């Protein structure tokens, strides 16, 4: 039996969506080809920012299961610039 393909959709906050558009950050398809779905608390690094998975919502689009991952804000403390004073 082969694992069923699922479509994984990342859902960013509106501020982070705007940042992605402004900076033209490439959001990789992290789970493409993997059989294990992401879990709550997993962390993604995209364009130097860190996003934690805060919620997972399962849906079905009529063809395949869809897993929407709601990500926390990318303004984590780990993203500060060390050595600069603002």
């Amino acid at each position: 039996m082969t694992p069923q393909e699922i479509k994984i959709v990342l859902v960013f906050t509106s501020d982070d969506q705007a940042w992605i558009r402004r900076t033209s950050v490439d959001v990789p398809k992290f789970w493409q080809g993997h059989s294990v779905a992401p879990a709550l608390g997993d962390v993604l690094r995209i364009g130097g920012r860190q996003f934690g998975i805060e919620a997972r919502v399962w849906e079905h689009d009529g063809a395949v299961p869809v897993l929407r991952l709601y990500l926390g804000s990318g303004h984590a403390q780990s993203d500060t610039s060390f050595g600069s004073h603002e």
Side-chain angles (χ1 to χ4, degrees):
M1 182 187 305
T2 60
Q4 185 176 18
E5 183 179 331
I6 62 172
K7 179 179 176 182
I8 297 177
V9 177
L10 301 177
V11 181
F12 294 91
T13 65
S14 58
D15 287 344
D16 290 326
Q17 286 175 0
W19 170 76
I20 289 168
R21 282 191 302 274
R22 274 193 320 272
T23 59
S24 300
V25 169
D26 182 36
V27 179
K29 295 183 179 185
F30 290 100
W31 290 274
Q32 185 173 0
H34 293 273
S35 60
V36 178
L40 287 177
D42 281 351
V43 176
L44 310 176
R45 296 282 298 174
I46 302 169
R49 290 189 178 186
Q50 179 173 298
F51 301 87
I53 298 174
E54 295 187 345
R56 297 170 11 134
V57 176
W58 286 97
E59 299 173 340
H60 201 284
D61 68 2
V64 296
V66 177
L67 175 57
R68 293 192 188 281
L69 302 177
Y70 289 85
L71 305 176
S73 174
H75 299 285
Q77 289 181 347
S78 65
D79 296 328
T80 58
S81 270
F82 295 102
S84 67
H85 301 284
E86 294 184 39

